Amino acid sequence: MDAAERLFVEKGIAATSIDDIAAGAQVAKGTFYLYFPSKEALLGALQQRFVDTFCARLQEAMDRHRPDNHRARLKAWAETGLQTYLDNVALHDVVFHEYRPEDRRMRNDNAVIAQLVALLVQGTAAKVWRVDDATMTAVILFNALHGVADDAVAMGQTSEADRKRRARALTNFFEQALRPEEDGSAD
């Protein structure tokens, strides 16, 4: 998978053959087929690995804060999500934008969104904020994160100072979107 990842980023998916991947991994072509029935299956595995790694980094960042400090955990999720996305944008673009799987359920079965849904539900239960539809809110916030990161790449604004400015804007947006009701209840 490491060889395929490197080659896909360097050459693109279409220009990378299974022979290239086997050679890059220093294995026989038949060995490739012991692990993956096709290049598409490998791409699906790379997507899953990307998501698993992304979620793990988000969880590590959130776990640096007490479980009941929902605002700090949300801020950590946003800041780390932006940082992780920008650190891995080339791989992200290859496995999520260049490759179009037939199953379009990726948005619905997105582990990153599921992780955010859990945080939103916890914060709602603790009356930190009001969220009527945690899944829809998580989709909106996830797409905000994705949009801010894509804009940073498009504008060439990925320096450390740019990242901090964008993370601040993103977390401010999240905080404004998740304000509790005026009376402080989350009914």
Side-chain angles (χ1 to χ4, degrees), residues 5 14 24 41 86 95 110 158:
E5 186 177 291
L86 292 174
V95 299
N110 187 319
T158 58

Side-chain angles (χ1 to χ4, degrees), residues 67-84:
D68 63 341
N69 192 347
H70 305 290
R71 291 196 183 283
R73 291 171 70 85
L74 182 67
K75 183 178 180 188
W77 187 94
E79 290 174 348
T80 303
L82 180 63
Q83 187 76 24
T84 302

Side-chain angles (χ1 to χ4, degrees), residues 91-141:
L91 176 60
H92 174 276
D93 288 352
V94 166
V95 299
F96 290 104
H97 294 291
E98 187 174 336
Y99 173 59
R100 299 284 185 195
E102 292 301 315
D103 182 4
R104 306 298 279 175
R105 292 181 42 92
M106 177 70 71
R107 291 268 184 203
N108 296 346
D109 296 334
N110 187 319
V112 179
I113 291 174
Q115 184 182 55
L116 184 53
V117 167
L119 178 59
L120 294 175
V121 168
Q122 292 165 358
T124 299
K127 299 187 188 278
V128 174
W129 48 64
R130 178 191 169 104
V131 174
D132 293 325
D133 185 332
T135 300
M136 191 63 61
T137 303
V139 167
I140 292 166
L141 296 178

Side-chain angles (χ1 to χ4, degrees), residues 35-183:
Y35 294 94
F36 304 102
S38 65
K39 188 162 65 168
E40 290 73 25
L42 170 63
L43 283 162
L46 285 173
Q47 284 181 337
Q48 188 60 54
R49 183 166 84 165
F50 186 96
V51 169
D52 291 347
T53 301
F54 197 89
C55 284
R57 284 192 65 187
L58 294 171
Q59 192 63 52
E60 288 171 14
M62 289 189 300
D63 287 347
R64 291 186 194 108
H65 304 280
R66 292 186 335 263
D68 63 341
N69 192 347
H70 305 290
R71 291 196 183 283
R73 291 171 70 85
L74 182 67
K75 183 178 180 188
W77 187 94
E79 290 174 348
T80 303
L82 180 63
Q83 187 76 24
T84 302
Y85 182 99
L86 292 174
D87 287 348
N88 298 287
V89 71
L91 176 60
H92 174 276
D93 288 352
V94 166
V95 299
F96 290 104
H97 294 291
E98 187 174 336
Y99 173 59
R100 299 284 185 195
E102 292 301 315
D103 182 4
R104 306 298 279 175
R105 292 181 42 92
M106 177 70 71
R107 291 268 184 203
N108 296 346
D109 296 334
N110 187 319
V112 179
I113 291 174
Q115 184 182 55
L116 184 53
V117 167
L119 178 59
L120 294 175
V121 168
Q122 292 165 358
T124 299
K127 299 187 188 278
V128 174
W129 48 64
R130 178 191 169 104
V131 174
D132 293 325
D133 185 332
T135 300
M136 191 63 61
T137 303
V139 167
I140 292 166
L141 296 178
F142 172 80
N143 281 293
L145 168 73
H146 203 272
V148 167
D150 281 344
D151 184 66
V153 173
M155 300 303 291
Q157 297 176 345
T158 58
S159 71
E160 192 59 35
D162 291 326
R163 289 173 185 224
K164 286 181 181 180
R165 181 179 58 80
R166 285 175 178 277
R168 235 182 350 268
L170 189 62
T171 57
N172 286 341
F173 172 76
F174 279 23
E175 288 174 5
Q176 298 242 343
L178 296 173
R179 284 193 314 240
E181 291 186 72
E182 292 300 318
D183 66 359

